[in-house]
Amino acid sequence: MNTSDNAELSVRSYQHGDEETLIDLWARAYSDYGGHVPKNPEYWRWCVLERPGVEAEDVVLLEHQDTLIAYGVLGRKESPVGPGGTVLELAVEPSLTPAERTRSVSQLISVLEERSRARGDEIFEVSVPSTEQFMVGALEAADFKPEKSDSMQLVIVDVMGLMQKILERRGSEIAAIPAQSFAFIIQQEEYRALPLGRIRMELSSSGVSVEESAVDADFEVVAELSSLLDIIFRRDDVANIIRDDRIRVQPETGADALARLLRLLAIRSNWYTPSVDGR
Amino acid sequence: MKEPQQRRLGEVPGEERTGDPSDEHIELRDFRPEDERRIVETLAAAFPHGWHGNAFWRWKHVQRPGFKPSEVTTVISGEEMVACFHGATLPLKLEPGLIVDVSFDGDFAVMPGRRGKNIPLRAHDLMDRRLLEAGVTLRGGFTSKILNERFYSKFGYRFVPTSTLHFRKIIGLRPLKQKIEALGERILERGKVRETLARRPMVINLQIETLPAFHVAMTAEAFTAKPGTLDKAEMSIQAPYAVIVSLTMGRWKFVRSVISSLLSFRLRARGLLRMSGQLLALARAFIRKD
């Protein structure tokens, strides 16, 4: 798509039936990111249109010759300094050039900010991925200031299930590790009500089987749950964790294969959580 | 690697216990439609800034597509609701093609008189077991560093690295008013500044681009910011919003912003020469030790 012709970008608010197009644009704009709730029309209507304080006019679409190129949603947020406006969702057509995307963000933010001012808000907030330079640049140019905010914290409920789901995604990369089995004995230093069993992983050329089992394995691994979480969510590097004895393997000849296996567990996307998911 | 500490179920590390949980005859149960009013009352009583009201609660919880009564746990003691805990099981994309169910927890409320009896822990444990049975992989939510360190980290909760960057802009006078008044308190800690302002208080009119005009009265007692300008003001300053932003971004950014605003004629001060003596006296009083 190219918007560098002389046709004006037009601004309009949400109309019944737009949700499918908006959801599709958001999913394409952030296809490489994790950390958000995928939406369907029913869920989007609930979390955006039916949200108290949001009206159809707060969903602003930017179009080029009747084709959607960007949209943003203005929500409300109470703060200690009074009412605030917060951009719940902001997405721009990824096939545009960086300059076109910056221009789209600037235009959308300006419309949403004006709307927020008009209703008497004291502050106006936007969350964007730091890796999308066109968004960051547009906001800095409009005198927005980066601020600290609440972040997402997680704990693993189903350790085996999570490891299984991630490793199933790794397919052929598992086959590159020599066929062998690992028994993970997982511990948690902090309080935990749920039991942490013995998880056995059998690697083979056809993939990996992950199950709770007392059957012997080639290697026994003792791991802190927090260290596994650090690896999965890329809070720390596998090499550091093994070096610091936070995950140990016996016999030690299995250390290289274990490191390769653990690296496969790391999530491979940057995370971006739009304000709409923060509720 | 440290050996895991053995703890009894119901015992939170670091939490001072004022009563044995077994002494508290409470019932943990799922949400029932007739609970709504009492839940909102519990939330309103437990949160320092109150709660948003029934309509907001209804939207956030029971009207959410896929809502299940088991996602809201109420804690009943006799006839009284003493606590409530909320979760929402939703799909979370971890990376392209990898989506797992996550329980987003929040709106945990315990009535002030019922705290210190491990009620949150009992609810947390119950929800943990239910989530595992329901095939939920992760649980968590959004919180501050302080709350994570004080409470959640004891359960193994960790922040997930994110590229989410949060930007903010002041568009009303109230946040500026608070900042100016707080700044005044800090400046007036210096006795010499107070003495200088007692001899000659000042009023400055300020017109920040994109914000309504206001004036700041600087006296020996306080700095106060009010909407509108005053004819009797000793000085008037016109400035772009960027100068205000740069104030908190380090000395060099501020200096750069001031110079660029002066060069573009967007930063102007009227009465500066007339007030230069007073401003110098204030600067000297601020620098000088009491």
Side-chain angles (χ1 to χ4, degrees):
Chain A
M1 190 183 291
N2 189 327
T3 64
S4 57
D5 53 28
N6 288 328
E8 281 286 302
L9 298 182
S10 58
V11 177
R12 71 167 174 88
S13 52
Y14 166 86
Q15 287 166 6
H16 179 71
D18 280 336
E19 45 270 58
E20 298 253 9
T21 322
L22 301 183
I23 292 168
D24 173 65
L25 175 59
W26 207 93
R28 285 188 295 108
Y30 299 104
S31 60
D32 292 340
Y33 288 88
H36 56 264
V37 177
K39 317 258 183 320
N40 59 39
E42 184 196 14
Y43 185 81
W44 187 87
R45 277 191 292 274
W46 168 76
C47 71
V48 173
L49 280 186
E50 292 161 19
R51 178 183 294 256
V54 174
E55 296 160 18
E57 290 75 26
D58 294 321
V59 183
V60 178
L61 286 70
L62 200 59
E63 291 179 325
H64 177 254
Q65 295 174 337
D66 293 334
T67 303
L68 178 70
I69 59 162
Y71 82 97
V73 181
L74 178 66
R76 284 175 196 266
K77 186 177 179 180
E78 283 304 318
S79 78
V81 290
T86 184
V87 178
L88 298 170
E89 285 189 330
L90 180 69
V92 182
E93 171 57 49
S95 64
L96 296 178
T97 65
E100 289 167 333
R101 285 189 282 167
T102 302
R103 185 164 70 117
S104 305
V105 172
S106 300
Q107 192 168 346
L108 259 181
I109 289 297
S110 160
V111 172
L112 295 169
E113 184 184 325
E114 209 40 60
R115 200 171 161 75
S116 188
R117 280 179 198 276
R119 70 183 189 198
D121 289 337
E122 299 283 343
I123 51 164
F124 181 67
E125 299 178 337
V126 195
S127 295
V128 298
S130 58
T131 36
E132 298 293 335
Q133 200 44 53
F134 72 96
M135 286 184 162
V136 173
L139 291 171
E140 284 175 347
D143 294 332
F144 280 83
K145 188 184 154 216
E147 291 270 336
K148 276 187 191 149
S149 71
D150 287 358
S151 300
M152 196 194 293
Q153 58 171 9
L154 289 173
V155 70
I156 304 172
V157 175
D158 181 2
V159 185
M160 191 178 78
L162 181 60
M163 290 168 98
Q164 190 168 20
K165 281 173 186 142
I166 295 171
L167 291 175
E168 277 169 4
R169 289 280 312 155
R170 302 296 180 242
S172 59
E173 293 173 75
I174 302 243
I177 304 174
Q180 50 211 325
S181 57
F182 293 89
F184 280 78
I185 295 145
I186 297 167
Q187 304 174 336
Q188 175 152 318
E189 195 183 318
E190 297 95 348
Y191 172 80
R192 183 176 171 92
L194 296 175
L196 288 163
R198 185 175 185 275
I199 299 168
R200 191 174 186 281
M201 288 187 198
E202 182 85 46
L203 310 185
S204 68
S205 54
S206 59
V208 61
S209 75
V210 184
E211 56 183 1
E212 216 172 296
S213 166
V215 173
D216 279 347
D218 299 328
F219 301 100
E220 191 160 276
V221 181
V222 180
E224 279 286 345
L225 184 57
S226 60
S227 300
L228 277 180
L229 196 140
D230 286 348
I231 289 169
I232 293 170
F233 294 105
R234 299 189 299 177
R235 289 168 45 90
D236 205 348
D237 188 60
V238 170
N240 292 340
I241 287 169
I242 292 179
R243 186 197 59 214
D244 296 345
D245 257 2
R246 288 155 60 197
I247 293 184
R248 295 172 305 195
V249 60
Q250 285 297 328
E252 287 178 359
T253 49
D256 284 347
L258 173 67
R260 290 172 72 182
L261 176 65
L262 292 174
R263 282 192 187 100
L264 294 182
L265 287 171
I267 298 297
R268 293 173 175 178
S269 291
N270 280 328
W271 273 31
Y272 164 59
T273 310
S275 297
V276 76
D277 288 345
R279 295 189 298 141
Chain B
M1 191 187 299
K2 290 184 213 158
E3 287 306 312
Q5 295 168 32
Q6 294 301 311
R7 290 194 179 94
R8 279 198 310 142
L9 187 66
E11 185 185 353
V12 184
E15 179 165 309
E16 206 173 299
R17 295 170 63 193
T18 55
D20 192 316
S22 58
D23 291 343
E24 182 80 16
H25 298 292
I26 56 168
E27 179 200 356
L28 277 72
R29 63 166 170 78
D30 293 351
F31 166 75
R32 296 173 188 165
E34 65 269 24
D35 289 335
E36 179 182 317
R37 183 183 53 81
R38 289 201 295 172
I39 289 174
V40 176
E41 283 171 3
T42 306
L43 289 164
F47 283 85
H49 300 293
W51 180 251
H52 314 277
N54 289 53
F56 185 79
W57 182 87
R58 210 173 302 133
W59 166 79
K60 190 172 177 182
H61 297 289
V62 291
Q63 289 173 352
R64 190 186 69 250
F67 168 79
K68 290 189 285 292
S70 59
E71 290 173 312
V72 179
T73 303
T74 58
V75 183
I76 310 292
S77 173
E79 291 298 303
E80 196 191 345
M81 184 175 292
V82 296
C84 58
F85 304 92
H86 298 73
T89 298
L90 295 168
L92 181 74
K93 181 178 158 192
L94 302 185
E95 62 177 44
L98 182 57
I99 294 170
V100 301
D101 278 347
V102 176
S103 175
F104 287 91
D105 304 336
D107 300 336
F108 283 14
V110 182
M111 291 298 271
R114 300 294 187 140
R115 291 174 187 168
K117 293 179 185 292
N118 278 337
I119 292 175
L121 181 68
R122 293 163 80 175
H124 189 273
D125 286 356
L126 175 72
M127 283 164 81
D128 252 356
R129 283 188 283 270
R130 284 178 161 186
L131 293 172
L132 186 63
E133 282 165 18
V136 174
T137 309
L138 298 159
R139 70 181 294 191
F142 297 86
T143 198
S144 62
K145 196 166 178 271
I146 295 170
L147 266 180
N148 170 273
E149 282 169 4
R150 204 164 64 193
F151 182 74
Y152 294 102
S153 62
K154 296 166 190 168
F155 295 88
Y157 285 88
R158 297 287 184 271
F159 283 119
V160 182
T162 178
S163 62
T164 308
L165 195 54
H166 195 68
F167 285 91
R168 177 184 272 214
K169 194 178 201 175
I170 293 173
I171 58 172
L173 283 188
R174 220 187 307 176
L176 264 188
K177 183 177 149 66
Q178 282 187 1
K179 281 182 193 289
I180 287 168
E181 287 170 2
L183 177 72
E185 276 175 31
R186 282 211 311 275
I187 291 176
L188 291 172
E189 281 170 9
R190 309 279 175 125
K192 298 279 182 202
V193 174
R194 278 200 310 275
E195 281 170 27
T196 311
L197 283 170
R199 282 195 298 273
R200 192 173 175 191
M202 274 181 83
V203 175
I204 301 175
N205 285 333
L206 279 156
Q207 175 66 71
I208 311 293
E209 280 174 15
T210 72
L211 287 175
F214 64 104
H215 66 272
V216 181
M218 299 158 69
T219 68
E221 289 74 40
F223 287 15
T224 48
K226 287 185 180 160
T229 53
L230 292 185
D231 291 340
K232 66 166 188 180
E234 281 85 6
M235 266 181 77
S236 293
I237 297 175
Q238 233 183 332
Y241 180 76
V243 172
I244 303 296
V245 175
S246 68
L247 267 170
T248 54
M249 296 174 86
R251 192 181 302 166
W252 291 114
K253 282 202 171 164
F254 174 65
V255 170
R256 218 167 54 192
S257 175
V258 167
I259 292 170
S260 112
S261 305
L262 282 170
L263 292 174
S264 60
F265 301 104
R266 289 168 71 201
L267 178 62
R268 292 178 208 184
R270 243 191 26 229
L272 189 63
L273 275 178
R274 186 155 41 92
M275 294 305 293
S276 54
Q278 166 80 343
L279 291 172
L280 274 173
L282 279 173
R284 267 202 304 270
F286 185 73
I287 295 164
R288 225 180 273 159
K289 283 190 180 140
D290 289 335

